[in-house]
Each structure stands twice: as C-alpha cells, then as structure tokens.
Amino acid sequence: MKRLSDDLMSILVRILIGACFFFLLAPLAIAVVMSFDARPYLAAFPPPSLSWRWYDEFFSSDYYLKGLWLSILVSGLSTAIAMVSGVSMAVLVDRTYFPGRSLIVSLFMAPLVIPGVVIGFALLLFLSKIGIYDGFWRLMAGHILVAMPYTFRTTLVGLASIPRSYAEAAMSLGANERQVFWTVTLPLAKTGITAGAIFAFAFSLDDASLSMFLSDPKSYTLPVAMLSMMRADFNLTIAAAAVVLLALTVIIIILLDLTVGLERVLGQGLYRG
Amino acid sequence: MDAVELINISKSFGPIQAVSDCSFNVGSGEVLSLLGPSGCGKTTILRMIAGFEVPTSGRILIAGQDMVGRRPYERNIGIVFQDYALFPHLTVEQNVGYGLRYHGAPSAEAHARVSEMLQLVQLEHLRARRPGQLSGGQQQRVALARALATRPDVVLLDEPLSALDAKLRLELRAELKEVLARVRAAVIVVTHDQEEAMSLGDRVVVMNAGRLEQIGAPMAVYAAPATRFVAEFVGRSNWFSGTLSDATGGKASIVCAEGISVAAGTRGLTTGTQHEICIRPERLAVHREPPATAPGRVAFAARVIESMHLGPDLSIVAMMPSGKRLLVIEKNVGQFLIPPGTDVILSFDAADAIVIPSAPTAAS
C-alpha cells in the first residue's frame, strides 16, 4: 500500500516537472524557431523554410543596435556598481549590530517588491526635480537601484554562512580587519556575490517596465526598443532581438558560473553543513 | 615572569556576570586546564585573553605586557577553536602558513616552518589537501599546527577534542599532550571534560558560575577538593554530612546521621559546625563476608540494589538502612558480580574521607 502511494507520488512529481519544463521551454523554442522564419510577413508556426533574414534586419537596424549597445553598457556598468556598493553595504550590515538593523535590511530589499512601473515613474519625477534629464544617467540610476538588492541580499546570505570563528582565527594569526576581509571573508563569500551579480545582470538586461519611464529618444535599452517596435512595425525582427537578448544572458551566466563553478570544484566540500 | 597573568578579571554582559574577579597565571611551557560546566565563564576568559572580548575590569598581561586595548592581531597568540575554523578555501599548507606572512617571515623561512609544523603533527603527506578532504582528527591536528606555527607566547585551546568521537578523542589526547610538552608557550586548555583537564593540564583551574573554585595539580584537585562543587565536578562522589564533635582534644570526629563517625584532623575546625564528608566510589570497599575490624576503618551495613559490569570496573549501588545510596567502583579482578538484594558490609579508610565544611545554607 505504502509502495503504491509512493510510486503514484513519484509519477505525479515527474509529470509536474515535465509540465514545468514544457511550458517554460516550448514558448522559447517557438520564438527561436520563428526568428529564423524565411517568410517576409508574420505568419503561423511552424515556418515552412528557414533563413537569417530577421537577423540581417536586426543587425542592420541602427535603432536596434543602439538599444543593444546601451543595454550591454547599462547592464554591465550598473551590475558592477551595484556589486561594489551592495557588497560594501552587506559587509557593513553583517559586521555591526545596531538598533533598526533589520529595518535597514528590509529597506534595501524594497525595490524588489515595489512594481517597476512605480519605481520608474517615481524616479523619473525625482530625477527631473534634481536636474538629471539625460536618459543614460536616468537608466543607470534606476538599474543600480533595482540591482543592488540582489547583490546586497546574496552577499549578506554568503557572509552569514561564514562562521565567525574564521575571522577570529585569522585575527589570532596576526591579520588585521582589512587583511581578514581580503584573505578570508571575500573568498568565502564569492559564490554569494557572484550569484547576486548574475541576478542583477539578468534583471537589468531584461527590464522593460522601469526602463520605459527612464529612456529618452536617444537613450533606450533593447527591451524598450522591442516594445516600441512592437507598436510601430510588428515583424519577426523582434523575435531575432529576443534571441539575441537570450543569448547574451546565457553567455553571461555561463561565463560567471564557469568562474565560480570551477572554484567550487577546486574547493571540494567547501560548504559542509 | 609568567607568560600569561590574569589580575582580578571580571566580565559582565549586561546584567549577566560571566566572570567574577578571576586571577591566575600560567608560566611558559606550562599547560593549564580551565575546567568547568558550560556557562561557567571559562570560554569568556579564553576570549578575553585572545582579545575578542574586553574585560569589564582587571588586567591581562602577556609576556609581561598589558594587553588592554590591544587587538587580537597585536597579541602573540595561537588558538585552536572548537570547530577548528580551518579556512576551507586554503590547502593544509596554506592554512598552517597563514599567520607567518603577518609575522614578517621571509618566504623560505615560512616554508621551512610550515614543513616543521606538519612534521610535528605528522601530516606532511596531506599538505596539498583542503580541510574538507580531511577527517576530524586530521583537521584537529592542522588547527594545532596552524596555531603553533607563529611561535605564540600563549596557545589557547577551546574544547580541542570535543568534536571527535570517544575512541579518537583518547588517541588524540595522548598525541596532543606529547605535542604540547614540546611547546615553549604557555598553554591554556578550556574543557568541560574532567578527564581531559586532568590528563592534559600540569595544573587545573576549576570554575563555577564565573568564579575560580580551586587551582591546583590534577591529583591535588581530585584528592583534596576545596569545595563540594569541585568534588562533585571532578570525579564521582558519595556524601555524608555530620557535625563536628568536641575538637578541643586535638582528636575530633564528625558524627553523621547514619551512625558513622569519621576522625577528622583539626585544621581549625569549630566544634558543632556542619561538615560534608566525601568518599570517592573507588575508595569504598564491598565485603561479601564480614571483615575483620581494622583501626581507622569505618564499616557499615548496606544492601546491594544495582550492580553492573563496566569491563575494567564493576559498578555497585548499595543502599544503607537509612535509604542513602552509595556508589562503589571495584576493579574487575575476576570476582563475582554481587546480585542485587545481597546484604553486604561497606567500608572505607577514614584517611580517604575528604572533609569539607558545609556551605552556610542561609547565604547560598
């Protein structure tokens, strides 16, 4: 009886996992295939023949290329800045105990739960008020603001998992606080920091709701370009653009995972318990 | 000059008094065990010597220098943590060598010192491993090598063997003792295990509730505990309480409710005062036949209510007619285990009785 219910359960779980994969991957697969559609007009799936035409179109469009370039620039820069500031903040919060500490932590997390449109609109008003009208700097400000909770949070979790005795052992051996940070704390929190950077970058690359408010005609990201093209001239260049965006994300994740992943392989059993 | 000197050290955490007015010193090359139940303040003392906690009052001297206001890295110390705290991202070699770069050792010298230390703990063959790939015992030895590598004035060991299983603990205890004997530093071992404290320490400090109860050589602490707490914490004990009879004649005895009286020395004992008598279980004898009376031997009847074989020892619990239970440990020399229900005679040598004045109950 027990065996039977266990078997049933395991079958059910497998079906569920299968369904998740299907609904996650099928739309992506369709978009990828459609981006290679040889027909010059938007028509039903599947395409009768394949070509690179939409990619040619994408890479010869100044409008898209500008969006792509700015996306890479804003995502890269804002992730780097969010990483440095998020890590510093996390180290500070992790080390010190003060009243209202948890309040500060939740405050830092706020951009994650406040809708992007709200942040975008509020930030637009605020930045105009303090005299920042340039689209690029507005985008940077918005992306850093929303990327930082990721780097902050994952670093904080990474730091919390390091036993306090490690830092104490290092200090007893003669390392001062700064040396302890560089030789013990940072190497051990690296996985958390990198995870945060991946999340931050993926968010930044993908964001449309926030960026829509902060873009201007000269400075816009790729997702914003895709949205406005969808209104103006809906064709499969958007599918090609989506695939480029997807490829970019995948490349970054693989790159980052490779660096951290390798490290983890070298340090077998690094995270016991 | 002592390597470590604690002078009237107190520490409170808010309303909690963790350590009260503790003073002791440890010489170079000496091993001092700090023994007490958990929460007695022994770890707090260790952390204050290391510089992780600041004493509320009192002074700590290391190699004659006042440590007040000095950060841990400004003290020449080595610590073996309870969880070893080996850096998981570094190899055994890098762990042991970690402190040397902060002590200004040239790299060739540091390399030689690391090899020397690994040799000392017999782990040379594992120098390229990471802590995660080592057994508990090996990790413990790496932690020891790392703590000794910088030639500290003081070596602090916080429950160094508690994370190991019982059999390995005995092996490593012997090994640890051997290594510590070669160290010129003052060594302080914090432990709640009385066997560990007695076997490793040249002297033992027994602590209770933030206070020092007794300092002395292991055998002295065991044979002549200063307080009931020490007697009960170090080893096992049977207790009688009684009143001191007339002490004027120089030959006083303590008369207990059970009809036993024990001759006591008269080191300033006052007539009529309450005293506790402690008899170690291995100093009680069980007689299957009524024994011949011997001078100085106190004998009384009891009934065996529990008897157990422990391998090298036999453990017998006997009850006196008054209902008092006594524990007896006999060496296993092939004798029969006495079945429960047997009436026996128990006896002890009056010289083996440890007399401790009763703590005034009103004050406690």
Side-chain angles (χ1 to χ4, degrees):
Chain A
M1 198 59 214
K2 183 95 173 104
R3 277 298 291 273
L4 190 69
S5 65
D6 279 358
D7 286 349
L8 268 175
M9 198 63 203
S10 107
I11 291 171
L12 213 71
V13 167
R14 272 170 216 214
I15 290 174
L16 212 67
I17 293 172
C20 284
F21 264 98
F22 181 75
F23 284 108
L24 205 66
L25 294 179
L28 279 179
I30 289 176
V32 172
V33 172
M34 285 304 277
S35 72
F36 290 100
D37 194 344
R39 291 170 293 185
Y41 49 86
L42 189 60
F45 181 83
S49 59
L50 304 177
S51 82
W52 288 100
R53 68 179 302 151
W54 303 114
Y55 288 91
D56 286 340
E57 198 121 331
F58 177 83
F59 284 108
S60 56
S61 154
D62 273 348
Y63 184 68
Y64 274 129
L65 285 183
K66 242 181 106 176
L68 175 63
W69 167 237
L70 201 76
S71 266
I72 294 172
L73 195 67
V74 168
S75 301
L77 274 178
S78 65
T79 300
I81 294 172
M83 210 164 105
V84 172
S85 50
V87 168
S88 321
M89 220 74 84
V91 167
L92 218 75
V93 167
D94 182 62
R95 263 194 206 156
T96 46
Y97 292 88
F98 48 89
R101 181 177 179 272
S102 57
L103 188 78
I104 298 245
V105 172
S106 348
L107 211 69
F108 270 117
M109 304 309 290
L112 285 186
V113 286
I114 298 173
V117 281
V118 176
I119 299 179
F121 183 62
L123 207 57
L124 182 65
L125 295 181
F126 174 74
L127 292 175
S128 311
K129 180 84 193 156
I130 62 169
I132 295 173
Y133 300 105
D134 183 59
F136 175 76
W137 292 111
R138 284 201 307 229
L139 283 168
M140 282 294 291
H143 281 228
I144 291 169
L145 190 71
V146 183
M148 205 155 77
Y150 292 103
T151 57
F152 173 72
R153 187 74 200 175
T154 56
T155 308
L156 202 60
V157 170
L159 291 174
S161 71
I162 304 173
R164 196 223 281 254
S165 59
Y166 288 5
E168 289 181 346
M171 278 207 259
S172 75
L173 292 165
N176 63 29
E177 284 87 352
R178 189 173 45 79
Q179 290 160 334
V180 171
F181 177 75
W182 288 108
T183 59
V184 177
T185 315
L186 200 61
L188 290 177
K190 206 157 73 179
T191 311
I193 294 171
T194 314
I198 291 177
F199 282 132
F201 189 83
F203 152 79
S204 175
L205 203 60
D206 157 77
D207 173 75
S209 55
L210 177 71
S211 306
M212 236 161 37
F213 285 94
L214 304 174
S215 295
D216 64 17
K218 285 196 324 235
S219 308
Y220 49 85
T221 59
L222 187 56
V224 172
M226 285 163 69
L227 272 175
S228 57
M229 283 309 273
M230 219 166 125
R231 300 238 173 87
D233 175 20
F234 191 54
N235 63 37
L236 283 173
T237 322
I238 293 173
V243 171
V244 169
L245 203 58
L246 186 68
L248 213 59
T249 313
V250 169
I251 287 169
I252 291 298
I253 289 176
I254 288 175
L255 273 180
L256 285 174
D257 193 47
L258 219 60
T259 46
V260 187
L262 275 179
E263 192 65 33
R264 212 180 285 140
V265 172
L266 288 175
Q268 278 172 20
L270 193 62
Y271 302 102
R272 287 165 293 131
Chain B
M1 182 180 63
D2 285 311
V4 186
E5 213 171 325
L6 267 72
I7 305 164
N8 305 114
I9 285 293
S10 293
K11 173 72 183 176
S12 50
F13 297 102
I16 299 155
Q17 187 77 21
V19 175
S20 317
D21 198 27
C22 286
S23 302
F24 61 82
N25 42 26
V26 194
S28 294
E30 187 187 15
V31 180
L32 184 88
S33 296
L34 216 50
L35 174 67
S38 54
C40 73
K42 56 191 193 300
T43 299
T44 305
I45 287 191
L46 181 121
R47 294 180 60 80
M48 286 191 285
I49 297 171
F52 300 135
E53 306 285 355
V54 181
T56 311
S57 64
R59 294 200 304 153
I60 294 173
L61 307 184
I62 294 179
Q65 284 182 300
D66 199 333
M67 287 294 128
V68 168
R70 289 234 209 155
R71 305 287 298 140
Y73 45 83
E74 293 163 336
R75 308 173 180 210
N76 192 16
I77 52 174
I79 307 180
V80 175
F81 288 84
Q82 194 169 6
D83 64 351
Y84 312 136
L86 297 176
F87 306 128
H89 58 301
L90 302 179
T91 61
V92 166
E93 195 171 8
Q94 290 167 329
N95 264 285
V96 175
Y98 183 89
L100 293 170
R101 60 178 133 165
Y102 302 114
H103 283 71
S107 69
E109 195 181 298
H111 192 78
R113 181 71 181 158
V114 169
S115 295
E116 188 189 334
M117 285 297 108
L118 288 175
Q119 218 163 9
L120 182 70
V121 297
Q122 298 159 37
L123 281 179
E124 273 181 304
H125 57 297
L126 299 177
R127 62 193 308 154
R129 295 269 187 97
R130 281 171 200 264
Q133 300 165 299
L134 301 178
S135 70
Q138 289 166 340
Q139 290 185 26
Q140 202 271 342
R141 289 189 278 177
V142 175
L144 183 63
R146 184 179 68 177
L148 297 177
T150 54
R151 294 189 173 86
D153 294 322
V154 193
V155 179
L156 306 167
L157 298 97
D158 187 8
E159 306 274 1
L161 303 171
S162 66
L164 305 168
D165 59 70
K167 197 166 157 53
L168 192 59
R169 198 179 311 166
L170 289 185
E171 273 174 46
L172 273 173
R173 193 166 79 193
E175 214 179 287
L176 185 62
K177 189 169 175 67
E178 214 180 294
V179 172
L180 292 181
R182 289 200 238 167
V183 172
R184 249 169 309 193
V187 180
I188 299 176
V189 184
V190 161
T191 177
H192 66 273
D193 181 322
Q194 45 116 352
E195 268 188 40
E196 210 168 289
M198 306 236 296
S199 57
L200 291 176
D202 298 320
R203 280 189 302 154
V204 177
V205 173
V206 185
M207 285 189 70
N208 181 32
R211 295 180 181 282
L212 300 191
E213 292 270 331
Q214 190 171 3
I215 306 182
M219 272 329 290
V221 169
Y222 185 75
T227 63
R228 179 162 182 155
F229 174 83
V230 174
E232 282 182 330
F233 194 76
V234 181
R236 299 210 270 178
S237 46
N238 295 302
W239 293 91
F240 295 97
S241 55
T243 317
L244 193 76
S245 69
D246 186 17
T248 45
K251 261 195 163 186
S253 55
I254 294 162
V255 183
C256 305
E258 288 80 9
I260 293 169
S261 82
V262 176
T266 51
R267 4 156 221 180
L269 303 181
T270 323
T271 305
T273 48
Q274 283 288 312
H275 286 83
E276 312 271 336
I277 296 170
C278 165
I279 315 282
R280 297 291 188 192
E282 70 274 15
R283 297 299 168 97
L284 269 179
V286 183
H287 305 276
R288 286 133 178 100
E289 310 287 330
T293 49
R297 201 133 188 113
V298 181
F300 48 91
R303 172 171 290 172
V304 173
I305 56 172
E306 184 191 300
S307 64
M308 279 190 294
H309 220 298
L310 304 178
D313 299 318
L314 305 178
S315 151
I316 298 152
V317 178
M319 192 162 76
M320 295 175 67
S322 65
K324 183 181 277 295
R325 285 161 188 246
L326 298 169
L327 174 70
V328 184
I329 301 283
E330 275 192 326
K331 280 276 154 255
N332 175 10
V333 290
Q335 74 273 46
F336 291 110
L337 204 57
I338 303 171
T342 313
D343 286 317
V344 292
I345 304 288
L346 300 184
S347 79
F348 63 88
D349 194 328
D352 288 335
I354 301 159
V355 179
I356 296 167
S358 297
T361 40
S364 63

